[in-house]
């Protein structure tokens, strides 16, 4: 994981999308201004668990509900 040098947000990769939407600069401009993103190996603490839960597109509850619905249709 990488940490944005401007805001400190943990990212899988520092992308132009993040840089443009959050900082109104290109990735190259952001790196020139703030430096390279820091590579972080996060310890799985409460904040990291919350981040993982928030960024998942399909949540465990969605999967469980779909499985339960499929079982009930038989």
């Amino acid at each position: 994981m990488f940490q944005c040098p401007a805001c400190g947000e943990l990212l899988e990769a520092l992308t132009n999308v993040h840089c443009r939407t959050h900082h109104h600069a290109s990735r190259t401009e952001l790196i020139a201004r703030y430096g390279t993103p820091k590579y972080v190996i996060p310890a799985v603490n409460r904040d990291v668990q919350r981040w993982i839960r928030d960024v998942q597109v399909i949540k465990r509850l969605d999967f469980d509900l779909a499985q339960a619905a499929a079982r009930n249709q038989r």
Side-chain angles (χ1 to χ4, degrees), residues 24-43:
H24 308 292
S26 70
R27 182 179 183 276
T28 307
E29 293 168 345
L30 191 84
I31 289 173
R33 190 177 308 147
Y34 295 102
T36 58
K38 181 180 174 185
Y39 182 73
V40 179
I41 301 172

Side-chain angles (χ1 to χ4, degrees), residues 43-61:
V44 181
N45 61 20
R46 191 175 313 154
D47 292 335
V48 173
Q49 287 175 341
R50 186 177 309 122
W51 177 80
I52 291 169
R53 187 175 55 247
D54 291 342
V55 299
Q56 286 181 334
V57 175
I58 299 174
K59 305 222 183 275
R60 180 164 181 81
L61 180 61

Side-chain angles (χ1 to χ4, degrees), residues 10-22:
L10 292 177
L11 308 160
E12 288 185 36
L14 185 65
T15 62
N16 267 326
V17 173
H18 171 82
C19 296
R20 292 265 182 220
T21 57
H22 288 59

